[in-house]
Amino acid sequence: MPTFTAADGTEIAYHLRGEGEPLVVLPGGPMRASAYLGDLGGLAAHRQLVLLDLRGTGDSAMPVDPATYRCDQLVDDVEMLRARMGLDHMDVLGHSAGGSLAMLYAARYPERVARLALVTATPWALGMPAAAEDRLVAARSRQGEPWFAEAFPAFEAWLAGTGEFDRAFAPFFYGRWDDVAKEHDARGDHEFNDEAADIYHSDGAYDPPTTLSRLAQLTAPVLVLAGGLDGAPTPEVARRTADLFPNAECVVQPGAGHYPWLDDAEWFVRCVVAFLEREDAPRLRTG
């Protein structure tokens, strides 16, 4: 397991899966260990996945200062990873909350990004947080599911702030609530750093006007991938996100939830590989 030392002395771990050109993957959660990503549905057969364990998660050490869990503070760790890998520029994939980290990185270091893939990424960094009504509309579309009657009241209460996060509504995050999804969800019990998650989006993490201004100049190709059944982001929010980049495409994976590589791995991998193999981005090179 390779590691590097961050600027503040925190030991940061990352995991390599597969071979070929590297694809740096920033996990969501927020602040969930990268193990939940697996091999992204078989994407590791096409690229070497560089799965970063954000500080305080997975095999990375806890920082001395908890304030460094804030999303904008984590950008420096991503840049240290790039330097550790010896890359002049790199392809970056951000999932879920990791999409905001990926956007902040691209805004601060645009010359370091060859391609940027945002997978079911709610654009908090762009001033577009998840909306409760969007989540509820997406949830109501699942009324025909056998688990809906139990899950929806708990989900509605949580979004209204009158109830706690409840495992009962986990099915809303998946396109299929099968044994694979259940096992994936259950692993969250030991993969999340809850203290860090509370800090990730905290005050000061984002400056949307500045980020939007910088990303409007980003020349790297951008893929915004949404799940057709996901409520955060909805396909419409994903399309609006793509419109904010000068060179972006938005795709919606049919029948997919928040973890699209679990719902239809073949569709997901085919889409992401096609994007990564586009010729309108510089080839990766070490420097």
Side-chain angles (χ1 to χ4, degrees), residues 53-261:
D53 275 342
L54 301 176
R55 53 180 53 216
T57 71
D59 292 308
S60 290
M62 301 281 188
V64 173
D65 182 4
T68 60
Y69 290 136
R70 207 174 70 179
C71 187
D72 62 318
Q73 300 296 309
L74 298 172
V75 172
D76 289 335
D77 291 349
V78 179
E79 174 62 1
M80 290 286 288
L81 172 61
R82 180 203 62 79
R84 173 70 173 80
M85 297 286 294
L87 295 168
D88 276 353
H89 43 257
M90 60 190 183
D91 291 342
V92 179
L93 184 153
H95 172 246
S96 189
S100 281
L101 176 55
M103 284 185 268
L104 292 187
Y105 180 80
R108 193 181 302 177
Y109 297 102
E111 73 283 0
R112 299 302 190 186
V113 178
R115 300 172 189 82
L116 175 63
L118 303 172
V119 176
T120 58
T122 297
W124 295 81
L126 306 182
M128 298 160 62
E133 188 52 37
D134 283 349
R135 289 179 181 265
L136 290 173
V137 168
R140 290 187 187 103
S141 73
R142 313 290 296 276
Q143 302 185 55
E145 302 281 3
W147 42 262
F148 181 87
E150 177 187 3
F152 187 78
F155 193 48
E156 192 173 34
W158 175 63
L159 290 172
T162 59
E164 299 296 322
F165 190 91
D166 191 326
R167 177 62 54 71
F169 56 72
F172 288 122
F173 294 92
Y174 297 87
R176 294 194 312 268
W177 187 237
D178 55 14
D179 289 343
V180 172
K182 291 173 184 177
E183 188 274 335
H184 185 265
D185 175 66
R187 283 171 23 205
D189 289 340
H190 60 270
E191 290 177 346
F192 275 99
N193 180 331
D194 292 331
E195 176 196 6
D198 289 340
I199 297 171
Y200 189 87
H201 293 308
S202 59
D203 289 347
Y206 306 122
D207 178 2
T210 299
T211 302
L212 284 163
S213 176
R214 291 176 177 174
L215 291 180
Q217 308 303 315
L218 184 69
T219 59
V222 178
L223 171 68
V224 182
L225 189 153
L229 298 176
D230 198 8
T234 62
E236 177 56 31
V237 169
R239 293 184 187 99
R240 286 165 48 204
T241 301
D243 287 344
L244 297 172
F245 293 89
N247 184 16
E249 59 181 301
C250 177
V251 296
V252 178
Q253 182 170 328
H258 201 61
Y259 306 95
W261 62 92

Side-chain angles (χ1 to χ4, degrees), residues 22-68:
L23 172 64
V24 172
V25 182
L26 307 180
M31 303 305 287
R32 185 172 183 178
S34 68
Y36 83 93
L37 296 160
D39 66 355
L40 286 175
L43 189 57
H46 302 269
R47 299 293 293 268
Q48 181 183 64
L49 304 184
V50 183
L51 305 168
L52 180 63
D53 275 342
L54 301 176
R55 53 180 53 216
T57 71
D59 292 308
S60 290
M62 301 281 188
V64 173
D65 182 4
T68 60

